[in-house]
Amino acid sequence: MHVIATAGHVDHGKSTLVRALTGMEPDRLEEERRRGLTIELGHAWTALPSGERIAFVDVPGHERFLGTMLAGVGPVPVVMFVVAADEGWMPQSEEHLVALETLGVRLGLLVVTRADLADPGPALLDARARLARGGLGQAEALAVSGRTGEGLAELRAALDRLVAGLPAPDPGAPVRLWIDRVFSVRGSGTVVTGTLPAGRVSTGDELEIDGEAVRIRAMESLKEPVDSATGVARVALNLRGRVAPERGRALVTAGAWTSTDLVDVRIHAAPGFDGPLPRRLTAHIGSAAITCDVRPLGGQVARLRLGRRVPLHLGDLLLLRDPGGHRAPRVLAGARVLDPRPPDLVRRGAARARATQLAAATLDAESLLRVHRLLRGEQLLAMGCDLPGPPVEGDWYADPAHWSRLGERLAEAVRRHGDDHPLERGMPLEAARHELELPDRRLVTALIRPPLETAGGRIVSGPSGGLPASVAGAVQRLAAELSEHPFLAPEAGRLTTLGLGSREVAAAVRAGALLRVADGIVLLPGADARAAAVLAELPQPFTVSQAKVALGTSRRVAVPLLEHLDRRGFTERVDDYLRICRVGGS
């Protein structure tokens, strides 16, 4: 199926033409039929000669109903622009063209109606020239009469050619269905209608409206019950849920869109408008019309604060309209979304800096990461971006330059922490996370590169296991003294002279640079295993005195060292005086 919206001045025969093409009445309200004036959106459909089915969204042409016209055209990328042969180009023709140009509609047909009342040639030439200026210069043009049927066969053939060249929408795209009509059916409940531009909806699907879950109980497309539909399609959905839907709200795939009321945009002035934007405007997207406040940031970029949250993607186009009606033209600008979740502007000069940043923005994840620096994959997808290669950790993506700077900052933070806390074994991971203002501790771990490493929830640096240089030097001096007598632990006074007070010893023990045998008794790491190897060469069992002589140490050291060896399982008591060695001997 393909969906086409009408456009054009009031009373130029849009509804008559749709009626002639489809045999259906697009004006569903009694008032519309009585007055001969389209007030609300109308819908009709037909099959083309090729068998392709098309649906029309018939919009009002009167200036008082421009908002309704935009609700119909907003979700539809193709237009059938209608101009009457006997009146030619008129004010609402121009306003509708400005709206279409601002919305980026570039595909369509030009149809000059009422060819039975006047020569269509002049109107056709004028309208073609004006559409060309509005970006619809490639639109095929032809003249018809809805009353006599003249040219309708040619129009159907032209519609066939038009839809044959339309790009195929992605059936796997996330759903965003703008609601254009809501009504109740006795025994079924709430029904909403809208144009599905892409993606797929099926009976039983759960979607969201303003964050509230709703389920599709049943659905129709062109008045026929269906189990599933893919874009582009006109659909009517019978919903079950607690939320009360209304026109201008959107049914969306949960988690696939950024629900926001604050966006940074690039402004494109509508043709004929060159003044500054008023501070209060109406923003249109899909079938939604939302009051918004405009904050110029500089150049062509601005920040919009919307009156309510709407689901947006990067690159979405909003139309900005003056709701007062006292300025002309009333369609003032288009606003392309550059960031659907922009950062706060709190510091002096932040707006100017943000404008400079946005001036070079592109519609991709790399551009967003330059601003936000770190984003989860689910956030990028909800902002409408493809994921930019592998994540830096888990589902986190980072701007490469920022990630590199973070690595440098981490190394500096660890060094500074060591200077400020010389007796601590490295920097706690959580302290590093706060220092770098990172949202996830895993990101800190991912930044660690040699000579940094983790040990016991801390980041240590270098071969000294994170010891400050003063303590590492003291350990080296102790090691030199123990090189000839590895089991002759120095007394407390000598340790202090070497620079190893109680705090320094504790730091060295935590870092694994020293072995604490008992209070006041420290040796080098691995000394217990080497002592066991020496004791294994003694006749078994052996006494403390024999062990003291074999190890070349004092009784002050030998007794606690043997008790340490007992605890480690290297030795075992036989009685109150004798031990045997469990490793390396008989």
Side-chain angles (χ1 to χ4, degrees), residues 276-281 292-296 303-305 327:
L277 289 174
R279 292 302 178 96
R280 177 63 65 90
L281 290 172
C292 72
D293 293 322
V294 181
R295 178 183 179 181
R303 176 161 291 187
L304 305 182
R305 183 169 292 280
R327 298 180 181 91

Side-chain angles (χ1 to χ4, degrees), residues 288-330:
I290 311 147
T291 300
C292 72
D293 293 322
V294 181
R295 178 183 179 181
L297 299 179
Q300 290 185 300
V301 295
R303 176 161 291 187
L304 305 182
R305 183 169 292 280
L306 305 171
R308 62 174 173 85
R309 289 180 174 273
V310 290
L312 294 178
H313 271 174
L314 184 72
D316 274 342
L317 185 62
L318 293 87
L319 181 144
L320 302 181
R321 181 171 69 96
D322 175 8
H326 58 282
R327 298 180 181 91
R330 296 197 303 174

